[in-house]
Amino acid sequence: MSLNFIEKLKKKKDVVVLAPMADVTDCVFREMIAKYSNKSGPDIFWTEFVSADGLNSVGREHLKIDLKFNKKLERPIIAQIFSSKKENIINAIKLVYKLGFDGVDLNMGCPDKTIEKQLSGSALIKHPAIAREIIEASKKVVDDFNNKNKKRFFSFSVKTRIGYNKIEYETWFPNILDYEPDIFTVHLRTRKEMSLVEAHWDLSKEIVDFIKKYCKENNLKTPLIILNGDVKNVEEAREKIKISGCDGIMIGRGIFGTPWLFDDKEYNKRLEQNLDTKKGKDNITFRLKVLMEHTEKYEKVLGKHKSFNIMKKHYKAYVNGFDNAKDLRIELMLRKDAKEVKSICNKFIKEKLN
Ligand SMILES: Cc1cc2nc3c(=O)[nH]c(=O)nc-3n(C[C@H](O)[C@H](O)[C@H](O)COP(=O)(O)O)c2cc1C
């Protein structure tokens, strides 16, 4: 991707991007999303987060599977990494660049205790000096790449939350904005809130205004501002862009069970039909065919690297909202490979949908 895709997206009014989700948005699911979105998006793909410390360890080869992507279908794509060790982050960025990604993103929002113990993810909100050090070093590496190769643009971004125990974005965000990231993604919750309360859309306009004002007053480049939290589909994303004044919306959990989400016409059509058992037969069959395709690809590409049980999160979402869905879900939870899953789904299609 030689063009500066950020400049292009800044002009677009309804940017909707795919969230990084560990053990969900892996290379197989992202490829399904690219295929079923019918070229409608997402405007940016994010990988699941990858440990920069791990990428610098003997276990590196095993982790590289999380940095696999389809160079044609998944564009632009940003690799997300986490660590609190500057040297490891720098090396990981160099690797990500070499692998052909369009950008790198630093995770400063993950609330998982094992990540926080490494002083990474959300823990960096409590340690702004370390965060600044990492961001400054990362930005320098990325700037060097872009200065050396004018034909290829590589973006630098950060994803974070609005505070740790309390809402404190006015003191926290400057630690990031001072280094002029190309993209700034804000999950509208604090670390303490995890995902247990509703995202603070009531504060969205105030937060976007703060970012813009801070950048302007300090002569800093304003990043592509992306907000995140509880947005279920593209239509809702457009509304949120209007009310907040942000550039784009990141969708996470909304993608579960609907890899066609970014094609909003397709999404709305299928949503209307889904619960109606008579009209919904084709729709349910379609879902089960997508489920089978997803499972087969997963087994082929990731079967040797990851547990088959990861697919079961997807089954819960694909098999939902229609007659006999619960029984089918229970059956699928017991299966151990793609062959078994296919046989159960085909039996359901034959016996219940014909
Ligand atoms: C299963 C799961 C895994 C996640 N993994 C990551 C991750 O690797 N990196 C990250 O920045 N956020 C991660 N998140 C957070 C999401 O990117 C997003 O910020 C959050 O789910 C809120 O958005 P949503 O309401 O649209 O899902 C994860 C969330 C879920 C549910």
Side-chain angles (χ1 to χ4, degrees):
M1 199 86 351
S2 56
L3 279 176
N4 183 333
F5 64 93
I6 309 286
E7 291 308 320
K8 216 167 110 192
L9 292 180
K10 272 191 175 164
K11 290 184 193 128
K12 197 171 178 256
K13 291 205 169 55
D14 52 357
V15 173
V16 193
V17 306
L18 176 67
M21 285 191 287
D23 285 338
V24 180
T25 51
D26 51 46
C27 61
V28 171
F29 192 36
R30 289 197 313 265
E31 210 172 303
M32 295 290 291
I33 294 166
K35 176 176 171 187
Y36 285 98
S37 296
N38 301 316
K39 299 197 173 137
S40 294
D43 289 300
I44 309 176
F45 291 86
W46 250 261
T47 67
E48 338 167 48
F49 67 4
V50 186
S51 161
D53 298 351
L55 289 172
N56 281 276
S57 73
V58 281
R60 152 183 342 113
E61 288 312 312
H62 177 69
L63 276 179
K64 272 190 174 170
I65 193 73
D66 292 337
L67 293 174
K68 191 176 154 69
F69 70 100
N70 184 315
K71 292 194 164 63
K72 277 200 192 114
L73 290 177
E74 298 172 50
R75 289 292 191 188
I77 181 160
I78 290 175
Q80 191 188 62
I81 56 173
F82 70 90
S83 172
S84 58
K85 299 189 178 72
K86 194 171 77 180
E87 288 310 318
N88 287 349
I89 294 246
I90 291 172
N91 288 336
I93 295 176
K94 287 180 182 164
L95 172 69
V96 162
Y97 186 75
K98 204 166 122 197
L99 291 173
F101 280 91
D102 298 302
V104 68
D105 187 77
L106 302 184
N107 179 308
M108 297 200 175
C110 178
D112 193 297
K113 285 213 170 80
T114 56
I115 307 297
E116 285 211 298
K117 268 192 198 147
Q118 306 167 44
L119 274 187
S120 303
S122 289
L124 289 164
I125 304 175
K126 284 198 297 189
H127 297 278
I130 304 176
R132 285 188 91 99
E133 196 193 352
I134 294 170
I135 296 169
E136 186 176 22
S138 306
K139 175 73 168 132
K140 192 177 169 307
V141 181
V142 171
D143 282 349
D144 283 350
F145 287 145
N146 286 327
N147 288 332
K148 275 190 197 130
N149 187 351
K150 300 276 181 206
K151 286 193 185 139
R152 176 178 171 195
F153 173 73
F154 188 72
S155 73
F156 170 67
S157 57
V158 178
K159 177 170 180 276
T160 191
R161 292 179 177 245
I162 55 176
Y164 197 85
N165 283 321
K166 60 179 193 305
I167 294 168
E168 54 191 335
Y169 65 87
E170 286 173 281
T171 47
W172 164 234
F173 287 0
N175 295 301
I176 299 165
L177 297 172
D178 282 352
Y179 299 98
E180 302 187 302
D182 298 297
I183 309 170
F184 184 44
T185 307
V186 179
H187 180 178
L188 292 166
R189 291 186 180 94
T190 63
R191 151 67 178 84
K192 191 178 173 189
E193 289 168 339
M194 309 282 281
S195 281
L196 303 171
V197 301
E198 275 182 27
H200 292 278
W201 285 100
D202 50 328
L203 299 178
S204 62
K205 184 165 181 336
E206 167 186 325
I207 289 173
V208 172
D209 287 348
F210 170 81
I211 297 169
K212 288 183 180 168
K213 189 164 170 258
Y214 183 82
C215 291
K216 197 167 174 206
E217 284 179 0
N218 293 283
N219 243 333
L220 298 162
K221 184 183 74 184
T222 310
L224 187 84
I225 305 169
I226 295 186
L227 298 183
N228 164 247
D230 298 337
V231 179
K232 285 180 216 67
N233 53 52
V234 173
E235 215 168 284
E236 211 183 303
R238 291 197 187 110
E239 281 164 29
K240 300 286 197 229
I241 291 172
K242 267 194 209 135
I243 62 152
S244 66
C246 70
D247 297 298
I249 297 294
M250 175 179 270
I251 300 186
R253 289 163 298 174
I255 195 72
F256 270 104
T258 52
W260 49 90
L261 177 88
F262 291 95
D263 181 351
D264 62 331
K265 280 194 194 124
E266 179 80 6
Y267 174 81
N268 285 329
K269 193 181 90 190
R270 298 207 171 276
L271 194 71
E272 272 168 31
Q273 295 172 350
N274 199 31
L275 293 170
D276 186 312
T277 36
K278 274 194 196 127
K279 273 206 292 182
K281 274 184 185 174
D282 287 349
N283 199 19
I284 298 163
T285 307
F286 172 80
R287 274 176 170 263
L288 296 182
K289 287 197 167 152
V290 172
L291 181 158
M292 289 189 268
E293 182 187 346
H294 186 169
T295 307
E296 275 193 316
K297 278 192 182 153
Y298 182 88
E299 191 173 79
K300 195 169 154 212
V301 180
L302 297 174
K304 286 198 192 106
H305 308 273
K306 293 178 183 254
S307 159
F308 189 75
N309 284 338
I310 287 177
M311 274 312 297
K312 297 187 178 168
K313 283 187 207 162
H314 295 284
Y315 298 159
K316 279 189 196 152
Y318 282 122
V319 183
N320 212 320
F322 52 86
D323 282 354
N324 304 306
K326 191 177 167 204
D327 294 343
L328 177 57
R329 258 196 330 266
I330 292 169
E331 278 283 336
L332 290 172
M333 290 305 147
L334 303 170
R335 304 300 136 199
K336 289 187 293 298
D337 60 33
K339 200 170 157 214
E340 286 183 18
V341 166
K342 269 180 81 178
S343 139
I344 294 290
C345 288
N346 282 326
K347 188 166 167 260
F348 186 89
I349 292 170
K350 201 169 156 208
E351 289 175 6
K352 307 279 186 208
L353 300 176
N354 281 311

